[in-house]
Amino acid sequence: MPALPLTDKVRALGRGRRPRALSVAIATLLPLVGVVALGWNAAALMAMYWFELGIASFWAVVRALFAGRPSEIDREMLISGPLAQRRAGLSIPRTAVRIRLSSLLVLPFVVPVLAVVWAVVGALTVGVVADGGLRPAALDTVTLAVLALFVGEGATTLVEYFGRGEYRDHSAQTAIRGVFARGAAIFLGALITVTLVGAATLNGDAPLSALDPDAVGLPLLLGIVVVKFAFDLASLYGDRLAAFDESSALDLGLSYDPPPAEPVDGSLVEPAETVRQPRRARLAGALTTPLGHPGLWYLGGLGALAGAVFAIGGNWPTAAVLAAAAVALPLGFAALDHELRYGLVEYRAGDDALVAYDRLFDTALWRVEPWDETDLRVERGRLDRRLGTETVVIELRDDEYRIPGLADPEPILDVFDREADRPERSDRTDD
């Protein structure tokens, strides 16, 4: 696998914890100098920490975008579930970095969450302390400190995450995990500051806008810097905490390892037979998908309710459009989900394995060897009996694959040495 086009010196800097340690040192020394030498008050300190959280969130999103391991998304989730099973991605030229499809599915949820966290921390803490307390002289030095933090965090990401190859060990979820710890540290420090300033300066029912940031003395400001440094230090040595979690009987949730990025082996010993869902099963499956996803019913219900409101007002054209959308949108999402999950998947059965192959991205989704399964059975539900099809269920030690709507499941069953459990004869007749 080709490496990023970085010089040997840059790669050497990426060894060990030097880049992250340097970033932590900068994030600690800048506020320390500001408080001790530049006369920062609580407003200036909290403003810098708040912008630091925003900077950390930005670079965390960059790391999540280029994470080297697939993100874990529940397979049963509508549309995003089957899409996440596709290990497709966009390769960055002349590098080993890829933008994975599963990472793109996570970011629309991650970015708003980080934005809300940043806004809430600012509104509940920094906004209260900094109101009228951030002097122009301090504003200039805080701005320079923020720029230094942005450059330092970016350099750390480039050298350590990409140059050192750390991105290969992360999914989009794990790449952003450290931001929440920093957010908690900043929120805790700001909350303590607001509480102590309020206790020292507010009398009776005075509003929060009457807080005086200059009332906080140097010892308390230094204490806030130390607390923040302690959180950063714990993050710096998080790998050792994870190793302790993995080796001990405790379950702290620190040793989570994302799924590997290796592609599924799609090779088969010839001859191999290909099995696909017939068209009648694809159509019926799309129409019945809403039964397993109540969210589609809610979507249709909202459209129908809006249409009823316009109908009461006599606006029949708009009511008709909304009524049509209330039917078309759920069915459209259901059809897309079913096509991604089953319709666009073919099953290649050979003597050595069964491979589910995605025809959309031309990649193998999963592979089961003849000795991998722990149970094999054929089911015929109400829909199968109506369509004259069967569903094959392959149970593994820690997973299960269902292949519904097959007109002839025998090529799949012939892969395995185990005799499949079949429904009783009475169950195989139509109602």
Side-chain angles (χ1 to χ4, degrees):
M1 183 179 291
L4 278 171
L6 299 177
T7 65
D8 292 338
K9 287 186 177 180
V10 174
R11 291 197 190 98
L13 286 174
R15 298 192 186 110
R17 294 185 177 87
R18 278 180 283 180
R20 179 57 58 187
L22 182 61
S23 178
V24 170
I26 292 174
T28 304
L29 289 176
L30 286 177
L32 196 61
V33 172
V35 168
V36 175
L38 302 178
W40 284 6
N41 59 8
L45 181 62
M46 289 298 103
M48 199 215 72
Y49 278 154
W50 182 54
F51 279 108
E52 180 189 345
L53 177 59
I55 292 169
S57 299
F58 171 80
W59 287 110
V61 170
V62 173
R63 292 193 293 271
L65 180 62
F66 296 102
R69 291 198 177 191
S71 300
E72 277 198 296
I73 298 176
D74 187 359
R75 197 162 58 195
E76 299 304 317
M77 288 187 64
L78 186 71
I79 299 178
S80 61
L83 273 178
Q85 303 303 308
R86 273 79 175 170
R87 301 199 175 189
L90 177 64
S91 297
I92 307 300
R94 302 182 62 185
T95 73
V97 179
R98 300 178 67 200
I99 300 177
R100 293 187 170 274
L101 177 61
S102 60
S103 299
L104 294 177
L105 296 173
V106 170
L107 289 182
F109 299 95
V110 167
V111 173
V113 169
L114 291 177
V116 169
V117 169
W118 189 62
V120 168
V121 169
L124 296 183
T125 58
V126 180
V128 176
V129 176
D131 187 17
L134 188 58
R135 295 186 292 268
L139 181 60
D140 294 337
T141 54
V142 168
T143 302
L144 292 176
V146 169
L147 291 175
L149 287 174
F150 184 86
V151 173
E153 189 71 21
T156 300
T157 300
L158 176 64
V159 174
E160 187 177 69
Y161 191 73
F162 292 109
R164 187 179 163 191
E166 190 178 293
Y167 68 94
R168 298 190 185 98
D169 300 326
H170 284 280
S171 66
Q173 291 105 326
T174 60
I176 66 163
R177 190 165 51 184
V179 176
F180 295 101
R182 296 176 78 168
I186 294 171
F187 179 81
L188 180 63
L191 193 62
I192 293 173
T193 303
V194 171
T195 302
L196 294 179
V197 171
T201 61
L202 296 183
N203 295 317
D205 298 329
L208 287 176
S209 57
L211 285 174
D212 182 12
D214 293 316
V216 180
L218 180 61
L220 177 58
L221 293 178
L222 292 178
I224 295 172
V225 174
V226 170
V227 170
K228 172 64 168 49
F229 172 70
F231 274 84
D232 289 342
L233 202 61
S235 176
L236 177 63
Y237 290 94
D239 56 343
R240 294 188 178 180
L241 293 175
F244 169 76
D245 183 21
E246 188 174 0
S247 61
S248 67
L250 301 176
D251 186 10
L252 305 177
L254 299 173
S255 60
Y256 168 74
D257 194 22
E262 290 78 11
V264 177
D265 181 12
S267 62
L268 288 172
V269 175
E270 297 294 339
E273 191 167 351
T274 298
V275 180
R276 298 179 183 175
Q277 272 196 342
R279 291 184 178 179
R280 64 182 185 276
R282 293 171 68 175
L283 177 60
L287 295 176
T288 56
T289 294
L291 298 177
H293 293 278
L296 294 176
W297 290 92
Y298 299 146
L299 178 62
L302 288 175
L305 181 61
V309 172
F310 280 97
I312 293 174
N315 190 343
W316 293 104
T318 303
V321 170
L322 290 173
V327 176
L329 287 178
L331 289 180
F333 286 131
L336 178 59
D337 179 83
H338 188 270
E339 283 297 288
L340 291 172
R341 201 177 295 273
Y342 303 115
L344 294 174
V345 178
E346 64 183 24
Y347 305 93
R348 300 179 181 180
D351 293 336
D352 57 333
L354 172 67
V355 176
Y357 206 83
D358 173 40
R359 294 185 287 142
L360 180 62
F361 293 102
D362 194 31
T363 57
L365 297 177
W366 50 263
R367 176 189 181 95
V368 178
E369 310 285 348
W371 51 83
D372 287 344
E373 91 287 352
T374 59
D375 191 23
L376 182 67
R377 64 182 185 273
V378 177
E379 298 178 351
R380 285 177 61 88
R382 185 180 297 273
L383 183 62
D384 282 320
R385 294 195 293 270
R386 293 281 185 250
L387 299 176
T389 59
E390 294 180 308
T391 296
V392 175
V393 181
I394 306 170
E395 289 191 7
L396 307 177
R397 291 178 180 84
D398 54 357
D399 204 350
E400 177 183 279
Y401 294 123
R402 299 181 65 88
I403 310 176
L406 298 180
D408 181 17
E410 293 305 323
I412 292 177
L413 300 178
D414 290 342
V415 174
F416 305 98
D417 298 331
R418 183 190 302 269
E419 186 72 21
D421 295 331
R422 290 184 172 273
E424 297 296 333
R425 181 175 298 274
S426 59
D427 294 335
R428 301 182 64 181
T429 60
D430 292 344
D431 291 343

